[in-house]
Amino acid sequence: MQIFGNLLRTSGLGRVVPVVVGGLVAAVVLAPVSASSWGGGSTGCANSGCTTPFAVPLPIPQTLSPTSQDATTDYYTVTEQPANLSVIPGKTTPMWTYNGTWPGPVIKATSGRQVKLHVINNLSFATTTHLHGAHVAPSSDGGPVDLVPVGGTRDYVYPNNESARTQWYHDHVKDLTGKNVYMGLAGLYLISDAQEQALNLPNGAYDVPLAIQDRTFNTDGTLAYAPSSSDYRTGLMGDTLFVNGAAQPYLKVSTHKYRFRILNGSNARYYTFSLSNGATMSQIATEAGLLSKPYAQSSITLAPAERADVVVDFGNVPVGTSVTLRNNSGWNGATDIMRFDVNSSTNDPSTVPATLRPFTPLSASAVSVRRTFTIEQQRDGMWTFNGKMYDSARVDANVALGATEEWTFQNKSGQDHPIHMHDINFQVVSGANSSSSGPNSEWKETINVPSWSSVTVRTQFPDFTGIYMFHCHILEHEDHMLMSQFKVG
Ligand code: C2O
Ligand code: CU
Ligand code: CU
């Protein structure tokens, strides 16, 4: 199914136009836009997508149904396929998708129950599907050279021994991850568990994923993915912000608490999120699942691939008013992400308990090995760890199964780098902003390493042996060799 395939919207100022989304017709008033704020001149476009803020409803990505289930396993099938989608007004955008939608369908897994994901590759190039954040055997990790050929299939096995958390899956082909993700190959994968369910957090319709991605379009509606050499340095940023595949959408909410699972699924853009009414967000989870307690945050910065589950309480917001989710980060503007329109009042039995999940720090005395990886950009534009470009035949760290190690990422460049390790989660022990007291002081799986500084993480390598990646998650850096491998066992 195409979630928002019938977006019959003409451009115009202050006109009422029908918007057809998933078969529902709604009258939407397009607000007049002041020409001075466009920067787009006579085209009347604020951005390459010529979109109007808050004109389309937030799509909720479809939840994938299992093809079958047995005592231990849920079986899912996803088809990688081209699709022509309507994501900006009046244009058709050819994309590469999971099951024909952008983002792909949501897979809802249960902690302790295995998922077998059958991927059919109906695209015209080889792919690989990586479940980002998953603790899996290397054979199911979707590494950059572990390809599914054109017309081929692959069965990925995810044990889901992790606790509840917000993960995502995306393509991971060597040199092409940036392009493939930009073209649409990403989706959410949510794990729940009994402990989380018992917390009485907002759930059901009050548990909403927000997958945030930025895109730039050519005038014919095609996606403009053509990184220049300066994009190899900064990463490639789009000029139009999308949430769940809709440009700057609105969501009708009631006077209730909502759990928003925010994914920064952008190739390179960082966001600093805040609410226009000055309210705090209760951050209840990182990429690595529930925190020990909720952290009240007036703003939250997420680098590419980072996630934050937050609870926003609209309980005191007057019906008939709106709250905007903003991006305060300076990179290329792009301020308004989406708008919450409070349009009904409702009783709210949900809670945000003062304690969520116990957090046990890994002890420094258990650390047996310390390693340092220095990040630099070489003269040819390629990025390196310790002077070496990614090579699938080379392993840069041999780790004993079960070992506790400390890894320092030393950033000798003027760019920030969100470093992500496959297979494991880690604890930041020094270096990252607010590492000593904020949510980033607990379990993480992607951490920003600011320019000209270093971050040290402590981790353990349990269960699985074999070769895994670690890399920068600015996809243009990853595709320009800022990737390396460790081997467990
Ligand atoms: Cu999200 Cu190795 O990736
Ligand atoms: Cu990953
Ligand atoms: Cu980087």
Side-chain angles (χ1 to χ4, degrees):
M1 184 192 105
Q2 197 171 308
I3 295 177
F4 39 90
N6 300 315
L7 199 71
L8 305 174
R9 195 149 63 86
T10 57
S11 62
L13 303 181
R15 284 197 290 135
V16 177
V17 296
V19 177
V20 182
V21 176
L24 301 171
V25 180
V28 173
V29 178
L30 297 182
V33 178
S34 112
S36 61
S37 66
W38 292 341
S42 58
T43 62
C45 294
N47 48 45
S48 65
C50 295
T51 55
T52 305
F54 320 132
V56 293
L58 176 78
I60 307 298
Q62 190 188 12
T63 297
L64 194 62
S65 299
T67 53
S68 65
Q69 297 178 290
D70 60 28
T72 58
T73 305
D74 301 326
Y75 299 84
Y76 290 95
T77 295
V78 149
T79 302
E80 296 175 306
Q81 59 191 84
N84 291 322
L85 300 181
S86 300
V87 299
I88 55 171
K91 310 274 181 177
T92 297
T93 301
M95 298 189 75
W96 300 335
T97 69
Y98 297 108
N99 283 4
T101 66
W102 174 55
V106 178
I107 296 173
K108 290 189 176 166
T110 307
S111 182
R113 273 186 69 75
Q114 176 171 265
V115 160
K116 285 193 178 165
L117 178 65
H118 182 66
V119 176
I120 302 169
N121 180 6
N122 284 347
L123 291 164
S124 57
F125 53 91
T127 66
T128 174
T129 304
H130 169 59
L131 177 53
H132 178 119
H135 182 48
V136 297
S139 56
S140 284
D141 196 40
V145 296
D146 192 3
L147 299 178
V148 182
V150 175
T153 68
R154 181 69 177 264
D155 291 291
Y156 295 98
V157 181
Y158 306 132
N160 298 317
N161 289 325
E162 299 94 328
S163 57
R165 63 194 59 196
T166 301
Q167 295 179 334
W168 61 307
Y169 59 96
H170 61 76
D171 188 81
H172 210 316
V173 174
K174 179 179 182 291
D175 302 341
L176 298 172
T177 299
K179 170 132 200 181
N180 293 351
V181 171
Y182 203 85
M183 290 295 288
L185 290 172
L188 285 154
Y189 185 105
L190 313 180
I191 304 178
S192 65
D193 66 21
Q195 188 181 7
E196 174 198 43
Q197 295 304 306
L199 291 175
N200 192 34
L201 294 164
N203 63 21
Y206 303 107
D207 177 352
V208 179
L210 304 178
I212 300 176
Q213 301 181 293
D214 56 340
R215 295 292 183 270
T216 298
F217 296 84
N218 299 309
T219 51
D220 63 359
T222 55
L223 284 162
Y225 190 81
S228 65
S229 58
S230 78
D231 295 321
Y232 300 167
R233 183 167 54 77
T234 61
L236 185 138
M237 276 171 277
D239 62 11
T240 307
L241 300 185
F242 286 82
V243 187
N244 298 347
Q248 293 173 288
Y250 66 86
L251 176 67
K252 290 182 177 169
V253 297
S254 58
T255 54
H256 198 283
K257 288 185 279 302
Y258 283 72
R259 175 182 186 166
F260 294 118
R261 300 169 183 261
I262 305 174
L263 160 68
N264 181 356
S266 306
N267 281 32
R269 184 182 283 279
Y270 286 58
Y271 301 83
T272 297
F273 301 100
S274 67
L275 297 170
S276 61
N277 64 349
T280 57
M281 300 168 274
S282 272
Q283 187 174 347
I284 57 169
T286 67
E287 311 84 63
L290 289 169
L291 291 155
S292 62
K293 59 176 188 201
Y295 289 81
Q297 306 270 72
S298 55
S299 71
I300 295 173
T301 298
L302 294 184
E306 283 188 302
R307 284 90 76 200
D309 287 21
V310 301
V311 174
V312 174
D313 190 356
F314 297 107
N316 294 319
V317 180
V319 172
T321 65
S322 297
V323 177
T324 304
L325 178 66
R326 285 197 176 134
N327 171 28
N328 307 340
S329 145
W331 288 31
N332 288 10
T335 309
D336 291 334
I337 296 168
M338 66 174 294
R339 194 176 70 192
F340 304 107
D341 296 340
V342 184
N343 78 332
S344 63
S345 68
T346 188
N347 174 42
D348 182 1
S350 71
T351 55
V352 183
T355 58
L356 299 169
R357 185 191 303 282
F359 168 68
T360 311
L362 294 169
S363 110
S365 61
V367 174
S368 55
V369 178
R370 290 185 168 79
R371 306 176 195 271
T372 298
F373 295 95
T374 299
I375 300 164
E376 289 171 299
Q377 189 173 31
Q378 304 299 327
R379 277 201 207 134
D380 61 1
M382 293 299 171
W383 289 93
T384 55
F385 284 112
N386 291 346
K388 293 177 191 152
M389 297 195 299
Y390 169 68
D391 176 350
S392 61
R394 192 187 72 240
V395 165
D396 292 317
N398 281 290
V399 174
L401 183 66
T404 302
E405 300 203 354
E406 269 182 19
W407 289 28
T408 297
F409 300 103
Q410 185 176 41
N411 184 352
K412 291 196 172 170
S413 78
Q415 302 291 316
D416 287 14
H417 300 278
I419 299 298
H420 165 52
M421 294 180 72
H422 285 212
D423 180 42
I424 50 86
N425 295 155
F426 49 70
Q427 297 173 0
V428 179
V429 292
S430 68
N433 293 341
S434 65
S435 61
S436 56
S437 57
N440 288 357
S441 66
E442 300 194 15
W443 289 105
K444 290 281 292 172
E445 147 258 88
T446 300
I447 188 70
N448 188 51
V449 182
S451 62
W452 304 110
S453 65
S454 27
V455 168
T456 298
V457 302
R458 192 177 293 158
T459 186
Q460 268 179 336
F461 299 85
D463 308 323
F464 298 112
T465 57
I467 294 176
Y468 295 96
M469 320 291 307
F470 62 99
H471 59 89
C472 178
H473 221 289
I474 288 178
L475 300 183
E476 290 71 33
H477 294 178
E478 173 180 337
D479 285 343
H480 291 85
M481 301 296 161
L482 196 47
M483 254 191 330
S484 178
Q485 300 188 115
F486 62 93
K487 184 175 185 179
V488 183

